[in-house]
Amino acid sequence: MSTGPVSVDHTRLLWMRRLAVLATLLCLSVVVFGGFVRLSHAGLSCPDWPTCYGKAAWPTKEHEIATANIDFPQRAVEVSKAWREQLHRHLAAVLGSLILALALISNWQDRRRRWLIIACVPVLIFAILLYNPGGLPLPSMPFTAFLIAAGVELALVAAAFSARAGTTARLTLLLLALVIFQALLGKWTVTMLVKPIIVMAHLIGGLSVLGLLGYLVLSLRRVAAPAVSSRAPKRPLVIAVFVLLTIQIALGGWVSSNYAALACPDFPACQGRWLPKTDFSEAFVLWRGVGVDYEGGVLDGPARVAIHLTHRWFALIAGLALFWLAWRAWREPALRAAGGALALVTAGQMALGISNVVFGLPLWVATAHNAGAAGLTLLMVYLLWRTRPMPGSLQTHRTQIR
Amino acid sequence: MWRDFLELTKPKVVALIVFTAVVGMFLATPGLPSWQALLWGNLGIWLAASSAAALNHVLDAQIDGKMARTAGRPLPTGHLGLRQATAFALVLGALSMLILGLLVNVLTALLTFASLIGYAVVYTLYLKRATPQNIVIGGAAGAAPPVLGWVAVTGEVHAHALLLFLIIFIWTPPHFWALAIFRRADYEAVAIPMLPVTHGVEYTRWQILYYTVLLLLVTLLPYLSGMSGLFYLGGALVLGLTFLYYAIRLLNPPNEWFAMRVFNYSVIYLMALFAFLLIDHYLPHAGAREPVLEFLRVAG
């Protein structure tokens, strides 16, 4: 198509594509590393936010550790853990900056949205400083900081919906709002002492950022993929399976955040029985008050068994749905590779889930189980994109920034 | 003939009004309200609202005839005479006062009378023709029914009843202005100073958006004040955010009809919101803890 001189639009598209690919890869690492941080019990190893024991990095030297232990008596420094939590935050901050750049580039031509995005940066920095002034002579006003952040979120979402549907302008603004919300959830994970619902929301939020970034990369592709035939799985089917997968991932997050992974140490039976004692009324209470330290879990055995078994049995439903979709995709030549990959990753994910139980939750298996969820999310986003509705004649045209 | 009389009472609008009054009655007491309050209270409020609607037809007969939307009403078409309609309205009003005053309580009768006068005289005769804030102020009459229902049951005005009043009061401007945008040519033709006529459509759209934001915040109050629980909060948020979506889209609408879709949604919104209030009232509340309030305390 571009036989003429290189246009501004073309350069913009090129840069957006590079940035989007980079951001997606980085996001995948942040999600996988974030799972590692949690599963290696390092989630609370920095008691403050966004600093770690008052430092931008983390205390390493002897005297730094001594000072940190005096300033933060609630939790003794464990250098081997603190670096994980703080590196996760640093990686996420870089990811946030990439998404900011993406939003700025794709909204540059709309003067109002451009200035809104630019204005958000100092406002958010100010809010963070209000929350945690560090050494600066600012009053500490955490609730005001939260209100400011909430206002920024509302403004960004409103701006996103003022952009046309289906444009990268809207997608990147939503991404920006989402990644800021992820930062808030990351903060609450720490300040609410790994409260299960916050941890679960942080997982879902992270995978949502990943999925949206994947969709962005796809919609920026130079050449549109060949059209799928009428035998290909329809979009409603893909959406329905995606919903089931999302529920299963949320249940998995609930298992982890309630420390229920080893509530059943055997497979396929649980504690040697097919119908062990369960307590479903306590298992899914979403809110149990704040100020409680949730590290290690607060539920008793039967409640944890109920959570564990729900995730285990729902895996059967979600797994069957995924295999069904994979088979449907496999029958369609244009989607054969995606269908095959979906079947493989689903099988791998189930094997990892069983291994978690049988081998007593080894760190690398648990981390891989989280990575598998990310992989399934990306594959589903790909199928979602391939089955998107297309106006007949436009499908061979280049996707353009609108 | 009876159809014309029925149309004179604006049955659809009055049905919504009575529905909000019914909800006000149920919310007024932890159990079920007495059957006397339910029967006579609603009958009285229904008659009063019908009377006010008929009076509005009588007083607006001249301009109704010049507006496309209302030209087919019974008075402009000559199906009913002015005298007939006036007598009908006064009989309804008198019946309503008798029922409310003798069979319910005097306070309900007085407040209902004030609302009737507020709508039929203050709004229709004066405000409507005097200021672009007409429906903002006049909205007070339309917001009264849940309070009337509440008072019919308890005999006193409770702060929670005023909360219901506030919700409808804030809801009225975006609800009505959406219609006024669509019908602005009509209002311009008869020189009624509706906001889109005096300040333009663009300005009105922004006002609708501001009021919708305000409405979203106001509808949180029943939860925050402890009157309603999480079920209501969820409903209010979903309904309110949808309203917000409509209001934002109205800034740059896909077509002329969109204002009408906003108007139609606003009616569904109010019915659904009050249905949520009603259902929530009879749901067992899980403990005394208010998760969202607690969350807000530690969000910072």
Side-chain angles (χ1 to χ4, degrees), chain A residues 112 131 142-143 146 187-188 192 287 289-290, chain B residues 206 245 248 289 291 294-296 298-300:
Chain A
R112 266 201 292 195
Y131 172 71
F143 191 69
F146 166 67
K187 190 204 90 172
W188 291 328
M192 298 189 196
W287 189 269
V290 287
Chain B
W206 281 101
Y245 163 78
I248 291 172
R289 271 201 305 250
E294 200 181 2
F295 173 77
L296 280 177
V298 292

PDB file of all heavy atoms in Angstrom, chain A residues 112 131 142-143 146 187-188 192 287 289-290, chain B residues 206 245 248 289 291 294-296 298-300:
ATOM      1  N   ARG A 112      -7.952  17.612  23.091  1.00  0.00           N
ATOM      2  CA  ARG A 112      -8.450  17.475  24.465  1.00  0.00           C
ATOM      3  C   ARG A 112      -7.900  16.231  25.152  1.00  0.00           C
ATOM      4  O   ARG A 112      -7.440  16.265  26.279  1.00  0.00           O
ATOM      5  CB  ARG A 112      -9.983  17.442  24.466  1.00  0.00           C
ATOM      6  CG  ARG A 112     -10.563  18.821  24.689  1.00  0.00           C
ATOM      7  CD  ARG A 112     -11.973  18.709  25.183  1.00  0.00           C
ATOM      8  NE  ARG A 112     -12.845  18.169  24.139  1.00  0.00           N
ATOM      9  CZ  ARG A 112     -14.170  18.229  24.201  1.00  0.00           C
ATOM     10  NH1 ARG A 112     -14.742  18.781  25.241  1.00  0.00           N
ATOM     11  NH2 ARG A 112     -14.911  17.745  23.255  1.00  0.00           N
ATOM     12  N   TYR A 131       0.242  10.604  49.199  1.00  0.00           N
ATOM     13  CA  TYR A 131       0.084   9.344  49.925  1.00  0.00           C
ATOM     14  C   TYR A 131       1.335   9.034  50.732  1.00  0.00           C
ATOM     15  O   TYR A 131       1.269   8.637  51.892  1.00  0.00           O
ATOM     16  CB  TYR A 131      -0.209   8.205  48.944  1.00  0.00           C
ATOM     17  CG  TYR A 131      -0.182   6.854  49.609  1.00  0.00           C
ATOM     18  CD1 TYR A 131      -1.191   6.487  50.491  1.00  0.00           C
ATOM     19  CD2 TYR A 131       0.871   5.965  49.395  1.00  0.00           C
ATOM     20  CE1 TYR A 131      -1.153   5.271  51.136  1.00  0.00           C
ATOM     21  CE2 TYR A 131       0.906   4.749  50.033  1.00  0.00           C
ATOM     22  CZ  TYR A 131      -0.108   4.405  50.902  1.00  0.00           C
ATOM     23  OH  TYR A 131      -0.069   3.207  51.549  1.00  0.00           O
ATOM     24  N   PRO A 142      -3.516  10.388  52.727  1.00  0.00           N
ATOM     25  CA  PRO A 142      -3.790   9.208  51.892  1.00  0.00           C
ATOM     26  C   PRO A 142      -5.166   9.200  51.257  1.00  0.00           C
ATOM     27  O   PRO A 142      -5.305   8.846  50.091  1.00  0.00           O
ATOM     28  CB  PRO A 142      -3.606   8.035  52.855  1.00  0.00           C
ATOM     29  CG  PRO A 142      -3.567   8.612  54.215  1.00  0.00           C
ATOM     30  CD  PRO A 142      -3.157  10.037  54.091  1.00  0.00           C
ATOM     31  N   PHE A 143      -6.195   9.602  52.002  1.00  0.00           N
ATOM     32  CA  PHE A 143      -7.531   9.503  51.418  1.00  0.00           C
ATOM     33  C   PHE A 143      -7.707  10.501  50.277  1.00  0.00           C
ATOM     34  O   PHE A 143      -8.313  10.194  49.254  1.00  0.00           O
ATOM     35  CB  PHE A 143      -8.611   9.699  52.483  1.00  0.00           C
ATOM     36  CG  PHE A 143      -9.983   9.344  51.969  1.00  0.00           C
ATOM     37  CD1 PHE A 143     -10.308   8.028  51.688  1.00  0.00           C
ATOM     38  CD2 PHE A 143     -10.931  10.321  51.731  1.00  0.00           C
ATOM     39  CE1 PHE A 143     -11.557   7.694  51.180  1.00  0.00           C
ATOM     40  CE2 PHE A 143     -12.184   9.999  51.221  1.00  0.00           C
ATOM     41  CZ  PHE A 143     -12.494   8.677  50.954  1.00  0.00           C
ATOM     42  N   PHE A 146      -6.199   9.062  47.311  1.00  0.00           N
ATOM     43  CA  PHE A 146      -7.081   8.067  46.689  1.00  0.00           C
ATOM     44  C   PHE A 146      -8.158   8.751  45.852  1.00  0.00           C
ATOM     45  O   PHE A 146      -8.448   8.327  44.725  1.00  0.00           O
ATOM     46  CB  PHE A 146      -7.718   7.181  47.766  1.00  0.00           C
ATOM     47  CG  PHE A 146      -8.871   6.363  47.269  1.00  0.00           C
ATOM     48  CD1 PHE A 146      -8.665   5.345  46.356  1.00  0.00           C
ATOM     49  CD2 PHE A 146     -10.162   6.633  47.696  1.00  0.00           C
ATOM     50  CE1 PHE A 146      -9.728   4.598  45.885  1.00  0.00           C
ATOM     51  CE2 PHE A 146     -11.224   5.889  47.232  1.00  0.00           C
ATOM     52  CZ  PHE A 146     -11.009   4.875  46.318  1.00  0.00           C
ATOM     53  N   LYS A 187      -0.958  -1.664  45.494  1.00  0.00           N
ATOM     54  CA  LYS A 187      -0.777  -0.973  46.769  1.00  0.00           C
ATOM     55  C   LYS A 187      -1.651  -1.601  47.848  1.00  0.00           C
ATOM     56  O   LYS A 187      -1.190  -1.863  48.961  1.00  0.00           O
ATOM     57  CB  LYS A 187      -1.132   0.504  46.599  1.00  0.00           C
ATOM     58  CG  LYS A 187      -0.748   1.351  47.771  1.00  0.00           C
ATOM     59  CD  LYS A 187      -1.580   2.603  47.864  1.00  0.00           C
ATOM     60  CE  LYS A 187      -2.807   2.358  48.690  1.00  0.00           C
ATOM     61  NZ  LYS A 187      -3.565   3.563  48.970  1.00  0.00           N
ATOM     62  N   TRP A 188      -2.913  -1.848  47.499  1.00  0.00           N
ATOM     63  CA  TRP A 188      -3.834  -2.408  48.505  1.00  0.00           C
ATOM     64  C   TRP A 188      -3.425  -3.823  48.893  1.00  0.00           C
ATOM     65  O   TRP A 188      -3.670  -4.257  50.021  1.00  0.00           O
ATOM     66  CB  TRP A 188      -5.267  -2.399  47.964  1.00  0.00           C
ATOM     67  CG  TRP A 188      -5.839  -1.034  47.834  1.00  0.00           C
ATOM     68  CD1 TRP A 188      -5.558   0.042  48.640  1.00  0.00           C
ATOM     69  CD2 TRP A 188      -6.784  -0.566  46.868  1.00  0.00           C
ATOM     70  NE1 TRP A 188      -6.264   1.148  48.221  1.00  0.00           N
ATOM     71  CE2 TRP A 188      -7.030   0.801  47.134  1.00  0.00           C
ATOM     72  CE3 TRP A 188      -7.448  -1.159  45.802  1.00  0.00           C
ATOM     73  CZ2 TRP A 188      -7.903   1.571  46.374  1.00  0.00           C
ATOM     74  CZ3 TRP A 188      -8.319  -0.382  45.057  1.00  0.00           C
ATOM     75  CH2 TRP A 188      -8.542   0.958  45.340  1.00  0.00           C
ATOM     76  N   MET A 192      -3.501  -3.841  52.673  1.00  0.00           N
ATOM     77  CA  MET A 192      -4.579  -4.637  53.267  1.00  0.00           C
ATOM     78  C   MET A 192      -4.104  -6.050  53.559  1.00  0.00           C
ATOM     79  O   MET A 192      -4.907  -6.982  53.691  1.00  0.00           O
ATOM     80  CB  MET A 192      -5.811  -4.643  52.365  1.00  0.00           C
ATOM     81  CG  MET A 192      -6.389  -3.255  52.179  1.00  0.00           C
ATOM     82  SD  MET A 192      -7.977  -3.297  51.346  1.00  0.00           S
ATOM     83  CE  MET A 192      -8.148  -1.593  50.841  1.00  0.00           C
ATOM     84  N   TRP A 287     -15.683 -10.578  51.641  1.00  0.00           N
ATOM     85  CA  TRP A 287     -15.147  -9.479  52.451  1.00  0.00           C
ATOM     86  C   TRP A 287     -15.186  -9.869  53.919  1.00  0.00           C
ATOM     87  O   TRP A 287     -16.237 -10.179  54.454  1.00  0.00           O
ATOM     88  CB  TRP A 287     -15.970  -8.212  52.217  1.00  0.00           C
ATOM     89  CG  TRP A 287     -15.345  -7.023  52.840  1.00  0.00           C
ATOM     90  CD1 TRP A 287     -15.571  -6.541  54.097  1.00  0.00           C
ATOM     91  CD2 TRP A 287     -14.377  -6.153  52.265  1.00  0.00           C
ATOM     92  NE1 TRP A 287     -14.795  -5.447  54.330  1.00  0.00           N
ATOM     93  CE2 TRP A 287     -14.054  -5.186  53.233  1.00  0.00           C
ATOM     94  CE3 TRP A 287     -13.727  -6.105  51.010  1.00  0.00           C
ATOM     95  CZ2 TRP A 287     -13.118  -4.173  52.994  1.00  0.00           C
ATOM     96  CZ3 TRP A 287     -12.819  -5.098  50.783  1.00  0.00           C
ATOM     97  CH2 TRP A 287     -12.523  -4.147  51.757  1.00  0.00           C
ATOM     98  N   GLY A 289     -13.554  -7.924  56.414  1.00  0.00           N
ATOM     99  CA  GLY A 289     -13.009  -6.851  57.230  1.00  0.00           C
ATOM    100  C   GLY A 289     -11.538  -6.638  56.957  1.00  0.00           C
ATOM    101  O   GLY A 289     -10.865  -7.471  56.359  1.00  0.00           O
ATOM    102  N   VAL A 290     -11.076  -5.464  57.371  1.00  0.00           N
ATOM    103  CA  VAL A 290      -9.682  -5.129  57.129  1.00  0.00           C
ATOM    104  C   VAL A 290      -8.937  -5.117  58.454  1.00  0.00           C
ATOM    105  O   VAL A 290      -9.534  -5.218  59.523  1.00  0.00           O
ATOM    106  CB  VAL A 290      -9.561  -3.752  56.438  1.00  0.00           C
ATOM    107  CG1 VAL A 290      -9.995  -3.857  55.001  1.00  0.00           C
ATOM    108  CG2 VAL A 290     -10.364  -2.723  57.179  1.00  0.00           C
TER     109      VAL A 290
ATOM    110  N   TRP B 206     -24.494  19.174  28.085  1.00  0.00           N
ATOM    111  CA  TRP B 206     -23.527  19.194  29.197  1.00  0.00           C
ATOM    112  C   TRP B 206     -24.241  19.232  30.534  1.00  0.00           C
ATOM    113  O   TRP B 206     -23.832  18.571  31.483  1.00  0.00           O
ATOM    114  CB  TRP B 206     -22.573  20.383  29.067  1.00  0.00           C
ATOM    115  CG  TRP B 206     -21.490  20.115  28.070  1.00  0.00           C
ATOM    116  CD1 TRP B 206     -21.428  20.560  26.783  1.00  0.00           C
ATOM    117  CD2 TRP B 206     -20.335  19.282  28.256  1.00  0.00           C
ATOM    118  NE1 TRP B 206     -20.309  20.068  26.152  1.00  0.00           N
ATOM    119  CE2 TRP B 206     -19.614  19.288  27.032  1.00  0.00           C
ATOM    120  CE3 TRP B 206     -19.835  18.541  29.322  1.00  0.00           C
ATOM    121  CZ2 TRP B 206     -18.426  18.581  26.860  1.00  0.00           C
ATOM    122  CZ3 TRP B 206     -18.651  17.839  29.146  1.00  0.00           C
ATOM    123  CH2 TRP B 206     -17.963  17.859  27.924  1.00  0.00           C
ATOM    124  N   TYR B 245     -23.235   6.521  30.634  1.00  0.00           N
ATOM    125  CA  TYR B 245     -22.823   6.180  29.268  1.00  0.00           C
ATOM    126  C   TYR B 245     -23.737   6.875  28.249  1.00  0.00           C
ATOM    127  O   TYR B 245     -23.271   7.482  27.290  1.00  0.00           O
ATOM    128  CB  TYR B 245     -22.872   4.661  29.092  1.00  0.00           C
ATOM    129  CG  TYR B 245     -22.862   4.211  27.655  1.00  0.00           C
ATOM    130  CD1 TYR B 245     -21.681   4.187  26.924  1.00  0.00           C
ATOM    131  CD2 TYR B 245     -24.047   3.837  27.018  1.00  0.00           C
ATOM    132  CE1 TYR B 245     -21.668   3.796  25.607  1.00  0.00           C
ATOM    133  CE2 TYR B 245     -24.044   3.448  25.689  1.00  0.00           C
ATOM    134  CZ  TYR B 245     -22.850   3.424  24.990  1.00  0.00           C
ATOM    135  OH  TYR B 245     -22.856   3.044  23.678  1.00  0.00           O
ATOM    136  N   ILE B 248     -22.922  10.588  28.181  1.00  0.00           N
ATOM    137  CA  ILE B 248     -21.677  10.909  27.476  1.00  0.00           C
ATOM    138  C   ILE B 248     -21.889  10.769  25.972  1.00  0.00           C
ATOM    139  O   ILE B 248     -21.457  11.600  25.182  1.00  0.00           O
ATOM    140  CB  ILE B 248     -20.535   9.999  27.970  1.00  0.00           C
ATOM    141  CG1 ILE B 248     -20.175  10.361  29.408  1.00  0.00           C
ATOM    142  CG2 ILE B 248     -19.306  10.139  27.082  1.00  0.00           C
ATOM    143  CD1 ILE B 248     -19.205   9.401  30.053  1.00  0.00           C
ATOM    144  N   ARG B 289     -21.830  -5.212  58.888  1.00  0.00           N
ATOM    145  CA  ARG B 289     -20.676  -4.600  58.234  1.00  0.00           C
ATOM    146  C   ARG B 289     -21.064  -4.040  56.885  1.00  0.00           C
ATOM    147  O   ARG B 289     -21.831  -4.627  56.149  1.00  0.00           O
ATOM    148  CB  ARG B 289     -19.577  -5.631  58.062  1.00  0.00           C
ATOM    149  CG  ARG B 289     -18.644  -5.717  59.225  1.00  0.00           C
ATOM    150  CD  ARG B 289     -17.361  -6.355  58.767  1.00  0.00           C
ATOM    151  NE  ARG B 289     -17.634  -7.639  58.146  1.00  0.00           N
ATOM    152  CZ  ARG B 289     -17.302  -8.800  58.695  1.00  0.00           C
ATOM    153  NH1 ARG B 289     -16.709  -8.827  59.856  1.00  0.00           N
ATOM    154  NH2 ARG B 289     -17.553  -9.918  58.078  1.00  0.00           N
ATOM    155  N   PRO B 291     -19.181  -3.394  53.654  1.00  0.00           N
ATOM    156  CA  PRO B 291     -17.880  -3.586  53.033  1.00  0.00           C
ATOM    157  C   PRO B 291     -17.346  -2.358  52.304  1.00  0.00           C
ATOM    158  O   PRO B 291     -16.176  -2.016  52.449  1.00  0.00           O
ATOM    159  CB  PRO B 291     -18.122  -4.730  52.054  1.00  0.00           C
ATOM    160  CG  PRO B 291     -19.308  -5.426  52.568  1.00  0.00           C
ATOM    161  CD  PRO B 291     -20.134  -4.417  53.278  1.00  0.00           C
ATOM    162  N   GLU B 294     -16.218   0.320  54.628  1.00  0.00           N
ATOM    163  CA  GLU B 294     -14.988  -0.098  55.282  1.00  0.00           C
ATOM    164  C   GLU B 294     -13.812   0.007  54.311  1.00  0.00           C
ATOM    165  O   GLU B 294     -12.730   0.465  54.675  1.00  0.00           O
ATOM    166  CB  GLU B 294     -15.149  -1.541  55.774  1.00  0.00           C
ATOM    167  CG  GLU B 294     -14.166  -1.910  56.842  1.00  0.00           C
ATOM    168  CD  GLU B 294     -14.350  -3.344  57.291  1.00  0.00           C
ATOM    169  OE1 GLU B 294     -15.220  -4.038  56.740  1.00  0.00           O
ATOM    170  OE2 GLU B 294     -13.604  -3.757  58.178  1.00  0.00           O
ATOM    171  N   PHE B 295     -14.086  -0.386  53.072  1.00  0.00           N
ATOM    172  CA  PHE B 295     -13.039  -0.300  52.054  1.00  0.00           C
ATOM    173  C   PHE B 295     -12.591   1.147  51.872  1.00  0.00           C
ATOM    174  O   PHE B 295     -11.404   1.446  51.804  1.00  0.00           O
ATOM    175  CB  PHE B 295     -13.556  -0.861  50.736  1.00  0.00           C
ATOM    176  CG  PHE B 295     -12.623  -0.667  49.591  1.00  0.00           C
ATOM    177  CD1 PHE B 295     -11.508  -1.475  49.451  1.00  0.00           C
ATOM    178  CD2 PHE B 295     -12.823   0.347  48.672  1.00  0.00           C
ATOM    179  CE1 PHE B 295     -10.629  -1.291  48.400  1.00  0.00           C
ATOM    180  CE2 PHE B 295     -11.951   0.535  47.622  1.00  0.00           C
ATOM    181  CZ  PHE B 295     -10.851  -0.281  47.491  1.00  0.00           C
ATOM    182  N   LEU B 296     -13.581   2.060  51.823  1.00  0.00           N
ATOM    183  CA  LEU B 296     -13.233   3.467  51.603  1.00  0.00           C
ATOM    184  C   LEU B 296     -12.375   4.002  52.748  1.00  0.00           C
ATOM    185  O   LEU B 296     -11.489   4.814  52.537  1.00  0.00           O
ATOM    186  CB  LEU B 296     -14.501   4.311  51.467  1.00  0.00           C
ATOM    187  CG  LEU B 296     -15.157   4.258  50.094  1.00  0.00           C
ATOM    188  CD1 LEU B 296     -16.438   5.056  50.085  1.00  0.00           C
ATOM    189  CD2 LEU B 296     -14.201   4.786  49.034  1.00  0.00           C
ATOM    190  N   VAL B 298     -10.111   2.505  54.315  1.00  0.00           N
ATOM    191  CA  VAL B 298      -8.720   2.077  54.236  1.00  0.00           C
ATOM    192  C   VAL B 298      -8.147   2.223  52.836  1.00  0.00           C
ATOM    193  O   VAL B 298      -7.026   1.811  52.572  1.00  0.00           O
ATOM    194  CB  VAL B 298      -8.570   0.604  54.676  1.00  0.00           C
ATOM    195  CG1 VAL B 298      -8.845   0.465  56.148  1.00  0.00           C
ATOM    196  CG2 VAL B 298      -9.479  -0.289  53.868  1.00  0.00           C
ATOM    197  N   ALA B 299      -8.927   2.830  51.921  1.00  0.00           N
ATOM    198  CA  ALA B 299      -8.469   2.903  50.532  1.00  0.00           C
ATOM    199  C   ALA B 299      -7.236   3.784  50.395  1.00  0.00           C
ATOM    200  O   ALA B 299      -6.406   3.589  49.522  1.00  0.00           O
ATOM    201  CB  ALA B 299      -9.586   3.407  49.639  1.00  0.00           C
ATOM    202  N   GLY B 300      -7.117   4.774  51.239  1.00  0.00           N
ATOM    203  CA  GLY B 300      -6.008   5.713  51.118  1.00  0.00           C
ATOM    204  C   GLY B 300      -4.686   5.098  51.542  1.00  0.00           C
ATOM    205  O   GLY B 300      -4.640   4.099  52.206  1.00  0.00           O
TER     206      GLY B 300
END
